[in-house]
Amino acid sequence: MKLIVVGDTLVSSETLIDAAKDINFPGKTGDLEIKTFEWFSDLKKEQFQEKILEIEKNGPEKVAIPDGIIEEMKDADYVLVHIAPISKKMLEAATKLKLIGTCRGGLEHIALDTMKEKNIKLIHVIRNAEPVADFTLGLMFTETRNIARAHYEIKKGNWRKSFSNDEYKTVLTNHTVGLIGLGYIGKLVAKRLNALGVKVIAYDPFIDKTKIAAEGLRIDFLDFDEVIKQSDILSLHMRLTPETENMINKDVINNMKPNSYIINTARAGVLNKNDLIDALKNKRIAGAALDVSWVEPIEENDPLLDLDNITLTTHIAGDTVDAIPRAPYLLKNVLNDYFETGTSDMLIKFK
């Protein structure tokens, strides 16, 4: 049985191999043959961020793949990666490939259409789901209660106590939070909101509602339009796909309450930038908080910077000291559970 491991600057091949040694691959007899590759593992973290942005923007077909990996893919049974590309060419070369395991937030690095065509399983462990869920909740407090704006004004020498959302300010439990997308992160956000006594509504056409109920989560499932209309805080947790790109646009925003907020810790592309700016300028909604940007770093003349009803952070929702080092071991646990039970919330269901 053959496993390919591709390390990078953030998740080393050594860590992936260490985790792989304890994975109970089906049909494994004897020693596991492991072929190791590196994807820009020699870069410093700051330089590697440029590679991450490149693959997130352009996908796996537009970036370099490790030398020699095509040949090794031909008889590989499994592949484990963090953010290294899994391109169409790599997948087309594979004749025995059963499953790919990846441990990062998005799936922009994988040729998903080819995965579907070849019926190759994909296990996707979001290594920083807990940090992102915490951060999402933090943005809800920060935006609705003007925490960052008050701090910013103090630093400028102003003792500001009045803000653009003054007529809407209230405690979180008076808000209804609508979640668009109820994957792993969305469920963790819902769990936190449940604990705080906040009403949660959600839209996700692919979720098994009976499983959500069995997990003890209190969520009212509504159709998309109703979630938009009823939410005081709309929190986005869907993957960026051709179907979800610009999903939250002018037509959607115009159906939101004037006292409502948009929180985005998913991907910038699910939200139409110009429509959001127009809505915030004209106070059609109360505010927004974004940890993702259409261009990183945000440009100096970006019109978002002129708005007084938005909170911006630098794509740091998942950035904690323990999230990345734990990633391969989370993947190991999920894979073992999947191989034992034949099912997993982390198994990607292709449309």
Side-chain angles (χ1 to χ4, degrees):
M1 183 171 291
K2 180 175 175 181
L3 169 69
I4 290 179
V5 164
V6 189
D8 57 48
T9 295
L10 301 181
V11 175
S12 70
S13 55
E14 289 82 3
T15 305
L16 283 165
I17 291 170
D18 187 57
K21 290 176 180 176
D22 293 322
I23 297 175
N24 301 317
F25 293 103
K28 176 185 172 185
T29 57
D31 293 334
L32 185 67
E33 179 187 358
I34 301 177
K35 293 294 182 180
T36 305
F37 293 90
E38 305 295 334
W39 194 65
F40 297 107
S41 298
D42 56 339
L43 294 182
K44 294 182 178 179
K45 184 177 179 180
E46 295 76 13
Q47 296 172 306
F48 189 66
Q49 290 299 323
E50 296 178 8
K51 299 299 179 183
I52 293 177
L53 291 175
E54 185 179 353
I55 202 168
E56 287 181 347
K57 183 178 180 180
N58 300 313
E61 313 308 322
K62 303 295 184 180
V63 296
I65 61 175
D67 290 339
I69 198 168
I70 295 292
E71 185 63 30
E72 296 295 344
M73 287 287 291
K74 291 179 180 178
D75 59 349
D77 296 284
Y78 299 95
V79 175
L80 300 183
V81 302
H82 170 231
I83 194 175
I86 303 294
S87 69
K88 180 178 180 179
K89 189 175 181 181
M90 290 169 60
L91 293 170
E92 287 178 341
T95 60
K96 296 175 56 182
L97 192 61
K98 302 173 182 66
L99 179 145
I100 292 173
T102 184
C103 48
R104 66 175 300 265
L107 290 172
E108 299 91 344
H109 59 306
I110 297 177
L112 297 177
D113 288 344
T114 310
M115 292 278 293
K116 178 182 178 181
E117 289 171 9
K118 300 199 67 173
N119 195 30
I120 300 168
K121 304 298 183 184
L122 176 59
I123 291 287
H124 176 215
V125 176
I126 303 175
R127 57 172 164 74
N128 51 13
E130 292 275 356
V132 173
D134 285 348
F135 200 90
T136 300
L137 201 64
L139 287 182
M140 292 180 188
F141 283 114
T142 298
E143 179 56 30
T144 62
R145 298 299 302 278
N146 304 297
I147 295 170
R149 277 188 282 278
H151 172 77
Y152 176 71
E153 292 294 338
I154 290 172
K155 296 278 283 186
K156 292 198 304 179
N158 302 321
W159 195 253
R160 183 179 174 186
K161 296 176 73 71
S162 179
F163 302 92
S164 66
N165 64 344
D166 279 353
E167 62 181 307
Y168 305 127
K169 283 188 297 189
T170 187
V171 296
L172 190 62
T173 50
N174 285 338
H175 292 292
T176 293
V177 176
L179 306 177
I180 305 296
L182 207 64
Y184 192 30
I185 293 174
K187 289 195 294 183
L188 289 174
V189 172
K191 181 179 180 181
R192 285 155 171 74
L193 292 168
N194 280 175
L196 293 170
V198 179
K199 182 178 179 180
V200 180
I201 60 179
Y203 171 77
D204 189 328
F206 307 105
I207 205 71
D208 185 339
K209 298 174 186 177
T210 58
K211 288 185 66 176
I212 295 295
E215 291 177 29
L217 294 173
R218 299 185 303 279
I219 302 170
D220 292 335
F221 288 94
L222 304 174
D223 64 33
F224 179 76
D225 290 339
E226 283 302 312
V227 172
I228 298 303
K229 291 175 182 177
Q230 295 186 29
S231 296
D232 299 302
I233 299 173
L234 187 69
S235 191
L236 309 181
H237 300 285
M238 57 284 218
R239 289 194 293 119
L240 179 60
T241 67
E243 292 76 24
T244 62
E245 187 171 9
N246 291 319
M247 185 177 184
I248 308 303
N249 53 35
K250 183 177 181 179
D251 292 337
V252 172
I253 295 171
N254 284 345
N255 282 325
M256 295 175 67
K257 299 178 182 180
N259 65 307
S260 61
Y261 302 85
I262 294 174
I263 310 294
N264 191 7
T265 53
R267 288 289 185 263
V270 302
L271 180 57
N272 186 290
K273 181 179 181 180
N274 291 332
D275 292 350
L276 175 67
I277 292 170
D278 182 67
L280 293 173
K281 278 184 176 179
N282 292 287
K283 304 295 192 294
R284 284 200 290 275
I285 58 174
L290 315 178
D291 183 55
V292 288
S293 178
W294 293 264
V295 177
E296 294 187 20
I298 195 167
E299 296 170 326
E300 291 182 8
N301 61 347
D302 195 301
L304 290 170
L305 301 177
D306 297 326
L307 299 172
D308 191 41
N309 51 355
I310 191 168
T311 299
L312 302 171
T313 53
T314 55
H315 207 163
I316 54 172
D319 191 7
T320 60
V321 295
D322 54 349
I324 293 176
R326 289 176 54 209
Y329 302 101
L330 288 174
L331 181 58
K332 174 199 72 176
N333 293 337
V334 170
L335 283 171
N336 280 336
D337 184 63
Y338 171 68
F339 291 143
E340 180 180 348
T341 66
T343 184
S344 174
D345 287 343
M346 309 303 169
L347 178 67
I348 296 299
K349 297 178 178 63
F350 296 107
K351 298 178 183 178

